[in-house]
């Protein structure tokens, strides 16, 4: 901690306080999501990022407004960090029409195109080629923007990782592959899955910079992500950034998270807590205890409002089941096989919401 | 001292069967086959230390050790392909894929490699590989995690595909698959894992690949299904019997490739009406294949067009109400049966 304080601040105190508040939002949002899941208002898989707040908030803070973000399924925190309103995230988790994916995506598939967030994706490493393609489009469109692609430590053993990194390096694409190394892919510890567990070293194979950073150190995350994104944006130099962090909860709400790791290990890692550490920095900068209490209270209010909004938001209309599936004009293409057409079978295709 | 203690209790006859869940039946099949044949080994994500995402392999690591119950990284293409290679050298790998959705990243190894080994080299090499994976939907797992894609694999010459709907068939078909000399995709099912049923305990009892079963006899209409659709079809049949006095026959395919057209046709030629039910999308699906076979086999016997019910043709949405509407739910099946019988 002493060493840390000697370092030049990456952001000023006001900004740090603001980022701290966002971290609190993510932490308490996840606690609320777990509660709502257990009350059966949220279904499906629900992956919480508690413990990973510095990695989440710090990396997104380093994005410019027009940079793009793509993530895996553990994406509540990333959506909130990018500024998606908590009510829109909670409504999505409730499967309601006002959710940021219109109730169609749920916990794993949040998205907000206005904010450059191109989705939470559910197939491990599936988002890597997509991030590569977004970066390719940025180059083709001569836009000075970068793509930040989040993935887990488990994703680096998929073929898509190798193929994406090679393409990105070969074509000099503006993308940073950010490995959130939280120690485990489900119940498998990193060194039980990766022959070389220093995951950032894989970048060497593609002639890319690869860095490993303490992902629970907010300022270190901001500094490294910011620098690598700038190189991607300005010089079209892709990179790998490995953030070391820890997931407090199980893999998803359904996993207690204690069958494959010890309670001592979890307790030891909690000593490293990113919120506690950031609060420490703020105290050193003269922020009073009362301020932290105010932040907690304000956040609880925001979350209560988000839950209320989600509860009030209507369910999506069943008559619009196929909404969004195809582009406008496709209804005519399908007209000769839909129910109601001379040879259309009953129930085969839901006409409802097909683009007309 | 009483002499009674010297007289052993009569040994009770070992029970021929036991009630257990589908997941326990699969586990028993794995255990028996691993005990029977040293060449059989299991690999997949979380099969060892975590005891399986759906706990099918619970206890097997402790019994057989990490050489035979092998945890893999998240590398489906790699370890499915490794299964193909190991099988070509005479091993009997059983590869678990967490759900059928993730088999897509390995589909090249399944379709363009495993399925080709036998024919492409003129029968010089065999590929006795088993891939176990559950299909299924219904818990708001959403578009990327709610698919029943077994029809894709059943489409491919060179593969065998089975899809048990009961604990007994799960055990018997998995054992047949492991003993088979060709690549077999064993399609398990998420909602059925917890279902219970009577399972034969004889380690030599297997269910032959390529034979359908009449799961419920009936005279009025035939429902043809597999996997979870069989469970739904049976529920609908019971309901129609109780509420409308309609006796539906349910044919459980059990194997998709080879397909037992004979049992299906025998049923339809008795009932003269048929509804094919599946959890997958019907267009180009299992029910499409059935409809083609049935119209040819039973052309003169059919009193109504072959009907089918399947998943609404959308990527499955998250919202509960949308998901329920998209699923081939029992209301939709019942309504289709009634309309086939001209009772709607
Ligand atoms: C191709 C594929 N295989 C398996 C899964 C099932 N699965 C979902 S998350 C996960 C673990 C991923 O771990 P990691 O990449 O470390 O991310 P974390 O969950 O720790 O954020 C697995 C195996 C999947 N979604 N996709
Ligand atoms: Mg991880």
């Amino acid at each position: 901690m002493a060493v840390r304080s000697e370092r030049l601040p990456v952001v000023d105190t006001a900004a740090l306080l603001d980022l701290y508040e966002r971290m609190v939002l993510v932490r308490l949002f996840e606690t609320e999501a777990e509660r709502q899941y257990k009350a059966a208002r949220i279904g499906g898989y629900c992956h919480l990022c508690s413990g990973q707040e510095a990695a989440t908030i710090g990396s997104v803070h380093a994005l410019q407004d027009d940079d793009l973000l793509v993530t895996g399924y553990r994406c509540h925190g990333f959506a909130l960090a990018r500024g998606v309103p908590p009510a829109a995230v909670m409504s999505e988790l409730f499967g309601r029409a006002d959710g940021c994916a219109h109730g169609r995506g749920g916990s794993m598939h949040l998205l907000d195109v206005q904010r450059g967030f191109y989705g939470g994706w559910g197939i491990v490493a599936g988002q890597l080629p997509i991030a590569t393609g977004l970066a390719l489009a940025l180059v083709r469109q001569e836009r000075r923007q970068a793509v930040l692609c989040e993935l887990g430590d488990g994703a680096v053993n998929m073929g898509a990782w190798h193929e994406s990194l090679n393409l990105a390096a070969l074509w000099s694409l503006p993308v940073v592959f950010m490995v959130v190394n939280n120690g485990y892919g489900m119940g498998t510890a990193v060194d039980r899955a990766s022959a070389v567990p220093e995951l950032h070293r894989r970048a060497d194979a593609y002639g890319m910079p690869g860095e490993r950073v303490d992902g629970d150190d907010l300022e270190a995350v901001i500094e490294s992500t910011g620098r690598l994104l700038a190189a991607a944006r300005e010089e079209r130099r892709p990179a790998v950034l490995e953030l070391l962090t820890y997931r407090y909860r199980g893999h998803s709400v359904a996993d207690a998270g204690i069958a494959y790791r010890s309670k001592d290990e979890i307790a030891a890692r909690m000593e490293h807590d990113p919120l506690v550490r950031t609060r420490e920095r703020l105290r050193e900068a003269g922020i009073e205890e009362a301020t932290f209490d105010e932040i907690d209270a304000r956040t609880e209010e925001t979350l209560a409002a988000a839950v209320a909004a989600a509860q009030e938001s209507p369910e999506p209309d069943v008559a619009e089941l196929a909404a969004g599936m195809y582009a406008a004009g496709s209804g005519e293409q399908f007209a000769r096989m839909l129910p109601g057409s001379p040879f259309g079978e009953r129930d085969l295709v839901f006409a409802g919401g097909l683009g007309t | 001292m009483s002499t009674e203690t010297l007289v052993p209790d009569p040994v009770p006859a070992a029970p021929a069967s036991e009630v257990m869940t589908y997941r326990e039946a699969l586990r028993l099949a794995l255990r028996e086959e691993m005990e029977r044949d040293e060449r059989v080994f299991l690999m997949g994500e979380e099969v060892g230390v975590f005891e399986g995402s759906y706990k099918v392999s619970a206890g097997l690591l402790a019994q057989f050790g990490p050489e035979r119950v092998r945890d893999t990284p998240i590398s489906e293409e790699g370890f499915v392909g490794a299964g193909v290679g190991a099988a070509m050298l005479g091993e009997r790998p059983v590869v678990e894929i967490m759900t059928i959705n993730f088999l897509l990243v390995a589909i090249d190894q399944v379709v363009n490699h495993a399925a080709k080994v036998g024919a492409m080299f003129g029968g010089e090499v065999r590929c006795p590989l088993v891939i176990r994976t559950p299909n299924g939907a219904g818990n708001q797992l959403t578009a990327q995690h709610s698919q029943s894609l077994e029809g894709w694999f059943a489409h491919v010459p060179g593969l065998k595909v089975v899809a048990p709907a009961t604990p007994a068939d799960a055990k018997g078909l998995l054992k047949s698959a492991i003993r088979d000399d060709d690549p077999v995709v064993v399609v398990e099912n998420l909602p059925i894992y917890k279902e219970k049923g009577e399972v034969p305990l004889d380690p030599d009892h297997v269910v032959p690949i390529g034979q359908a079963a009449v799961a419920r006899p009936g005279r009025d209409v035939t429902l043809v299904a597999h996997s979870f659709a069989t469970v739904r079809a049976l529920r609908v049949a019971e309901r129609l019997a109780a509420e409308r006095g309609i006796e539906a026959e349910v044919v459980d395919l059990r194997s998709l490739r080879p397909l037992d057209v004979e049992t299906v046709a025998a049923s339809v030629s008795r009932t003269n009406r048929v509804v094919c039910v599946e959890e997958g999308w019907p267009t180009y699906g299992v029910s499409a294949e059935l409809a083609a076979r049935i119209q040819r086999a039973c052309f003169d016997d059919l009193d109504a067009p072959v009907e089918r019910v399947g998943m609404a043709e959308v990527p499955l949405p998250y919202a509960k109400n949308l998901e329920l509407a998209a699923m081939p739910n029992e209301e939709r099946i019942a309504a289709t049966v009634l309309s086939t019988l001209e009772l709607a």
Side-chain angles (χ1 to χ4, degrees):
Chain A
M1 210 60 77
V3 178
R4 280 290 299 102
S5 330
E6 281 160 24
R7 208 169 65 188
L8 283 177
V10 172
V11 292
D12 65 24
T13 305
L16 193 62
L17 189 61
D18 178 55
L19 291 166
Y20 171 76
E21 182 156 355
R22 288 164 192 255
M23 289 167 65
V24 171
L25 172 66
V26 171
R27 172 74 54 90
L28 296 183
F29 185 97
E30 297 294 55
T31 308
E32 186 60 35
E34 182 163 11
R35 191 163 32 232
Q36 296 296 338
Y37 188 93
K38 288 180 172 156
R41 292 196 193 93
I42 297 172
Y45 295 128
C46 187
H47 308 87
L48 308 178
C49 68
S50 316
Q52 305 179 186
E53 294 84 357
T56 307
I57 293 295
S59 61
V60 173
H61 178 69
L63 289 171
Q64 292 191 351
D65 282 351
D66 59 355
D67 284 339
L68 307 180
L69 173 68
V70 188
T71 73
Y73 45 83
R74 199 178 295 283
C75 59
H76 306 169
F78 285 100
L80 294 168
R82 198 57 176 148
V84 183
V89 180
M90 195 61 86
S91 296
E92 189 58 41
L93 268 48
F94 277 45
R96 301 304 171 93
D98 297 314
C100 56
H102 308 280
R104 301 311 215 270
S107 163
M108 298 191 287
H109 309 299
L110 303 173
L111 154 143
D112 189 331
V113 172
Q114 300 316 316
R115 292 179 171 84
F117 176 28
Y118 275 83
W121 296 83
I123 302 302
V124 167
Q127 74 275 30
L128 275 69
I130 290 172
T132 306
L134 292 171
L136 175 62
L138 291 178
V139 167
R140 288 177 45 78
Q141 295 166 15
E142 298 178 4
R143 290 156 63 172
R144 272 179 113 73
Q145 294 156 245
V147 181
L148 180 64
C149 177
E150 181 269 349
L151 58 134
D153 48 89
V156 303
N157 297 315
M158 293 292 288
W161 156 268
H162 157 68
E163 298 186 24
S164 302
L165 265 64
N166 185 56
L167 282 177
L170 188 70
W171 293 342
S172 302
L173 299 178
V175 52
V176 174
F177 297 98
M178 181 174 78
V179 185
V180 176
N181 180 347
N182 57 11
Y184 294 86
M186 285 187 77
T188 305
V190 172
D191 61 1
R192 293 185 58 237
S194 284
V196 178
E198 295 81 27
L199 305 180
H200 62 289
R201 283 181 50 201
R202 308 260 193 117
D204 290 352
Y206 310 94
M208 272 186 208
E211 284 185 25
R212 175 182 262 192
V213 167
D214 177 355
D216 295 335
D217 180 336
L218 180 68
E219 290 169 276
V221 172
I222 295 172
E223 190 279 323
S224 55
T225 319
R227 185 164 34 73
L228 295 175
L229 280 171
R233 199 185 296 116
E234 308 305 329
E235 300 161 50
R236 288 180 47 184
R237 286 219 317 254
V240 171
L241 173 62
E242 179 184 6
L243 301 178
L244 295 181
T245 180
Y246 198 74
R247 103 170 122 65
Y248 290 172
R249 315 296 300 153
H251 170 69
S252 71
V253 177
D255 165 32
I258 44 173
Y260 46 85
R261 53 186 197 175
S262 68
K263 290 200 165 133
D264 289 348
E265 177 187 305
I266 300 172
R269 293 303 305 245
M270 283 184 161
E271 296 282 305
H272 213 241
D273 188 79
L275 271 76
V276 172
R277 288 170 68 182
T278 308
R279 214 155 44 218
E280 208 49 54
R281 294 280 292 163
L282 287 163
R283 279 198 196 97
E284 286 166 17
I287 299 297
E288 314 247 310
E289 272 336 281
T291 309
F292 302 129
D293 296 340
E294 280 163 28
I295 287 176
D296 285 349
R298 198 154 55 228
T299 308
E300 292 291 6
E301 270 172 41
T302 304
L303 289 173
V307 169
Q311 261 161 341
E312 276 159 34
S313 175
E315 289 184 331
D317 184 356
V318 172
E320 293 285 303
L321 186 57
M325 180 162 64
Y326 292 112
S330 306
E332 161 57 20
Q333 296 170 344
F334 281 90
R336 281 157 296 279
M337 72 180 280
L338 289 178
S341 66
F343 303 104
E345 275 180 87
R346 40 185 302 142
D347 281 338
L348 282 193
V349 174
F350 267 75
L354 261 192
T356 43
Chain B
M1 196 170 93
S2 149
T3 54
E4 275 164 10
T5 51
L6 299 175
V7 181
D9 286 335
V11 181
S17 67
E18 200 179 295
V19 173
M20 65 180 81
T21 61
Y22 187 89
R23 112 175 65 237
E24 287 163 344
L26 290 162
R27 186 184 306 148
L28 184 56
L30 286 169
R31 177 173 294 133
E32 286 175 2
E33 293 308 297
M34 289 176 80
E35 282 168 351
R36 186 186 59 81
D37 185 346
E38 274 293 318
R39 299 170 303 171
V40 180
F41 69 98
L42 177 67
M43 61 177 163
E45 291 154 24
E46 309 294 345
V47 297
V49 174
F50 200 75
E51 305 211 296
S53 291
Y54 300 99
K55 305 299 170 214
V56 170
S57 55
L60 297 184
L61 174 65
Q63 182 177 351
F64 297 101
E67 281 297 319
R68 293 184 73 198
V69 179
R70 197 173 271 270
D71 276 322
T72 65
I74 312 171
S75 307
E76 285 87 356
E77 185 179 9
F79 65 79
V80 168
V84 177
M88 288 170 70
L89 268 194
E91 296 293 313
R92 295 265 157 175
V94 178
V95 173
E96 175 177 310
I97 298 288
M98 208 174 276
T99 72
I100 201 166
N101 309 284
F102 315 140
L103 191 49
L104 298 191
V105 290
I107 200 165
D108 171 67
Q109 283 297 324
V110 182
V111 173
N112 233 349
H113 293 83
K116 304 297 187 269
V117 169
M120 194 168 74
F121 299 116
E124 285 293 319
V125 200
R126 301 243 62 86
C127 180
L129 168 71
V130 172
I131 298 173
R132 299 178 29 240
T133 189
N135 67 357
N139 273 317
Q140 290 184 272
L141 302 183
T142 319
Q144 295 189 306
H145 288 82
S146 302
Q147 303 173 99
S148 294
L149 300 170
E150 56 274 16
W152 292 25
F153 298 94
H155 176 67
V156 179
L159 298 179
K160 295 174 182 171
V161 180
V162 299
T166 66
D169 286 346
K171 181 182 178 215
L173 282 169
L174 177 54
K175 286 168 71 82
S176 284
I178 293 171
R179 296 179 187 193
D180 203 272
D181 290 333
D182 293 315
V184 184
V185 180
V186 179
V187 180
E188 302 172 0
N189 178 266
L190 295 175
I192 308 181
Y193 275 138
K194 61 179 185 311
E195 296 295 324
K196 287 187 177 159
E198 200 77 39
V199 175
L201 293 178
D202 178 2
D204 292 324
H205 175 85
V206 298
V207 172
I209 293 173
Q211 294 185 17
V214 175
R216 181 190 192 281
R219 59 174 185 274
D220 297 326
V221 56
T222 299
L223 302 185
V224 189
H226 69 280
S227 192
F228 191 62
T230 298
V231 176
R232 289 188 190 278
L234 285 168
R235 286 184 198 150
V236 170
E238 290 307 322
R239 209 173 90 189
L240 290 175
E243 292 172 7
R244 310 283 299 244
I246 295 165
E247 289 301 332
E249 179 147 303
V250 177
V251 176
D252 179 8
L253 292 174
R254 304 198 290 187
S255 289
L256 300 181
R257 187 183 192 99
L259 180 66
D260 180 357
V261 185
E262 220 174 277
T263 300
V264 174
S267 174
V268 176
S269 54
R270 266 185 286 109
T271 63
N272 313 110
R273 295 167 199 269
V274 57
V275 178
C276 306
V277 189
E278 64 170 317
E279 290 269 309
W281 298 298
T283 300
Y284 303 104
V286 175
S287 60
E289 180 61 33
L290 285 169
R293 301 269 175 176
I294 292 167
Q295 66 79 23
R296 190 168 195 291
C298 309
F299 187 72
D300 293 327
D301 301 319
L302 284 171
D303 288 343
V306 180
E307 282 288 0
R308 49 203 187 125
V309 183
M311 189 67 77
E313 304 219 339
V314 291
L316 226 64
Y318 168 76
K320 191 75 209 166
N321 67 325
L322 297 184
E323 182 184 53
L324 281 173
M327 307 269 291
N329 58 54
E330 279 120 61
E331 279 64 45
R332 271 171 65 207
I333 300 169
T336 309
V337 172
L338 291 175
S339 94
T340 301
L341 290 162
E342 293 158 77
L343 294 171

